[in-house]
Amino acid sequence: MQNNVELTPVVVEAIRNKKGNKITTIDFAGIEGASTGGFVICQGRSTSQVSAIADEIREFVFKQTGRKPYNYDGYKNSQWIVIDYGDLMIHIFLPDVREFYNLEDLWSDGKTVELEDIE
């Protein structure tokens, strides 16, 4: 099984396939009590795009690695979809919902990397 360091680039590529932006990774390596190895956080411009990004992540990760998520949630309103791979959690937000929950500040003890947007 891949760990979050190996899975992260696959997830980032899937997000970029659907034009997701403002991608941030947070690595929790060495943080005692962390329930996962890391986060990938991104956003879409509409609920349709948020759903499309989530679908692409699940499909692309499976094609590339053979892994299926343990669980996922949020498709009902598609304002915030979370995908759980155990060692990596992916959060896809609408911009205002992302700003409200502010996971980057909440988990600021992890190693945070903001990736450049690619248009």
Side-chain angles (χ1 to χ4, degrees):
M1 180 178 289
Q2 293 183 320
N3 63 32
N4 71 310
V5 173
E6 297 165 339
L7 189 58
T8 297
V10 178
V11 169
V12 168
E13 186 175 348
I15 292 167
R16 288 182 169 156
N17 287 347
K18 292 297 178 182
K19 309 290 188 229
N21 62 3
K22 301 204 183 300
I23 303 169
T24 300
T25 63
I26 305 175
D27 187 351
F28 299 140
I31 297 177
E32 191 173 328
S35 60
T36 186
F39 284 171
V40 175
I41 304 168
C42 70
Q43 64 190 47
R45 293 180 268 297
S46 67
T47 55
S48 298
Q49 187 183 22
V50 168
S51 294
I53 293 167
D55 288 344
E56 177 70 6
I57 290 167
R58 292 173 38 230
E59 292 167 14
F60 191 75
V61 166
F62 183 72
K63 285 180 192 169
Q64 297 296 314
T65 70
R67 288 184 65 180
K68 292 182 179 180
Y70 292 111
N71 205 350
Y72 50 89
D73 194 22
Y75 276 93
K76 186 173 182 179
N77 64 21
S78 295
Q79 294 180 9
W80 174 9
I81 295 177
V82 62
I83 304 172
D84 179 3
Y85 282 96
D87 52 350
L88 185 68
M89 302 276 289
I90 299 104
H91 301 271
I92 308 110
F93 287 100
L94 285 176
D96 58 333
V97 178
R98 180 179 185 171
E99 187 177 323
F100 179 80
Y101 286 102
N102 200 3
L103 294 183
E104 291 90 340
D105 277 352
L106 186 64
W107 292 96
S108 62
D109 47 348
K111 180 183 176 197
T112 301
V113 177
E114 293 178 11
L115 304 178
E116 190 173 326
D117 284 343
I118 296 175
E119 292 297 326

